Amino acid sequence: MPLFARHFNVVVKFLRFWEIGMRTGWIALTVALTGLTGPLSALVFPGPAAAHSPCLLRRFFLDWRSIMRIPASTLLLFLAFIAMASAVAAQSTTIDAAVSYRERIALPPDAQLDLRLVEVSQQAAGAKRIASQRFSISSVPRILSLSYDPEVVNSQSRLILVAAIWSGDVQIFRTTEPYEVLDAMQSGPIEMWLAMVTESDLAAVPPRTITGIAWSVTEVGGEAWGTDDPATFAIDYTMNFSIFGGCNRFSGRLLLVESEILFPEDFAGTLMACSDEAEAEERRLLGALRQVSGYVRYAGGLVLIDPAGNTLVHFIERPE
């Protein structure tokens, strides 16, 4: 059971026992005091007012009970807050990094720093992102903190910090060596030195965006497209997509965050009468798109992948 759930269960049990105890105690006290209202009335309310004293005493004790419950409720809320806050804090680990570069140049006003913590294992072909955050940056050195949940990290894997500074869609600085996190509880920040991206590096860096481009399918599930009229795909800048499946046209809205992409379960589309071969290819494409969770962009192509990193659909840019 996660640590947060254990803390929360303890608080819930404490609240239940406290409530039962409060109710039981006040019921017993109310019954006892109600039975004593007769003798007490003669002492507290002598004379003619004694006839109304039982009602006055009961009202007094009921009002006092309501007053006494206010600080108890406040205490319980405070204890619940402390327990949940400590559970959340205990679940996360924070890594500090000092990011800098050696060139004596100023950063552009729109500079942003991407800091990522990735997990690298011998079993997996690529790196798995554990945590990431984007920061506005105006100068270096800059000390940053990145939090992550250690429960999602494989104890047999290595944790690596990578960073890059972007100006719009242009990468201007990046790490060129791995900065391994050997001990998350180390005393000082991990010093990370970024290298300036040269013009030759920029030519090798693939564009970040996949929107505003007309794509043409070449493969689905590792098999070449089976007709002479390939399917096409495009995303506009508001995340609306359009697909020609080789027979019908489909549209909808997708979720696109960094290298993650999710298509809706159902597509709105036309219902055209097409050949069996075209319909089969179209169904194969739509079925693959529903399994997509990410993408890889390279110079002139786009690969849509599933959560395990397997290639589902391969597109290339259509010539203008």
Side-chain angles (χ1 to χ4, degrees):
M1 180 182 295
L3 184 60
F4 175 81
R6 293 200 298 268
H7 279 259
F8 186 76
N9 288 337
V10 171
V11 171
V12 170
K13 291 179 181 179
F14 177 76
L15 292 175
R16 289 176 178 173
F17 283 118
W18 182 282
E19 184 68 19
I20 293 172
M22 289 290 293
R23 289 181 178 179
T24 305
W26 280 115
I27 291 172
L29 182 60
T30 303
V31 171
L33 292 176
T34 303
L36 294 175
T37 50
L40 288 174
S41 62
L43 297 175
V44 180
F45 304 101
H52 303 285
S53 60
C55 294
L56 293 173
L57 284 172
R58 279 194 294 270
R59 183 180 301 172
F60 169 78
F61 288 121
L62 289 174
D63 291 343
W64 179 252
R65 181 178 66 176
S66 300
I67 294 172
M68 289 296 293
R69 288 178 67 87
I70 294 175
S73 301
T74 305
L75 175 62
L76 295 180
L77 290 174
F78 177 74
L79 291 175
F81 173 79
I82 293 298
M84 288 186 288
S86 63
V88 172
Q91 276 187 312
S92 63
T93 300
T94 301
I95 297 175
D96 295 327
V99 179
S100 187
Y101 54 80
R102 292 182 172 85
E103 288 78 4
R104 295 182 177 273
I105 60 174
L107 290 171
D110 64 342
Q112 295 183 348
L113 171 68
D114 282 334
L115 182 63
R116 299 191 180 195
L117 178 68
V118 298
E119 180 185 68
V120 179
S121 63
Q122 295 180 349
Q123 292 76 18
K128 172 186 174 184
R129 184 178 62 181
I130 299 299
S132 64
Q133 190 170 348
R134 177 172 293 186
F135 304 87
S136 176
I137 183 171
S138 58
S139 62
V140 294
R142 176 80 184 274
I143 298 179
L144 306 165
S145 297
L146 186 63
S147 298
Y148 71 98
D149 185 356
E151 296 293 331
V152 303
V153 178
N154 186 342
S155 60
Q156 304 300 320
S157 301
R158 299 165 57 206
L159 290 178
I160 303 295
L161 275 176
V162 293
I165 298 178
W166 294 82
S167 176
D169 286 337
V170 179
Q171 190 182 73
I172 53 180
F173 289 93
R174 65 180 179 182
T175 50
T176 56
E177 59 182 281
Y179 290 90
E180 187 169 358
V181 180
L182 299 176
D183 184 5
M185 304 302 293
Q186 61 186 25
S187 57
I190 298 174
E191 293 188 2
M192 303 180 66
W193 290 95
L194 278 61
M196 191 174 187
V197 178
T198 63
E199 292 185 1
S200 59
D201 293 331
L202 286 175
V205 174
R208 302 179 78 188
T209 182
I210 63 173
T211 59
I213 300 173
W215 300 100
S216 178
V217 69
T218 59
E219 295 181 1
V220 177
E223 298 181 6
W225 188 256
T227 68
D228 296 332
D229 193 8
T232 59
F233 170 55
I235 312 172
D236 66 18
Y237 296 101
T238 61
M239 300 303 111
N240 292 310
F241 69 86
S242 60
I243 297 173
F244 169 65
C247 177
N248 292 284
R249 297 188 180 276
F250 304 88
S251 62
R253 192 179 181 92
L254 52 75
L255 177 64
L256 181 64
V257 180
E258 294 186 346
S259 59
E260 299 178 359
I261 182 171
L262 294 175
F263 288 86
E265 185 66 24
D266 298 314
F267 303 149
T270 60
L271 294 173
M272 303 292 291
C274 306
S275 65
D276 293 341
E277 184 182 15
E279 289 186 359
E281 289 295 282
E282 185 174 89
R283 285 195 301 269
R284 191 161 67 97
L285 173 63
L286 297 180
L289 292 178
R290 292 188 177 95
Q291 303 176 52
V292 169
S293 66
Y295 70 90
V296 177
R297 173 80 157 94
Y298 66 94
L302 173 66
V303 178
L304 303 183
I305 58 177
D306 65 10
N310 301 312
T311 299
L312 295 173
V313 187
H314 189 184
F315 293 97
I316 58 172
E317 290 188 43
R318 297 178 62 191
E320 297 293 339

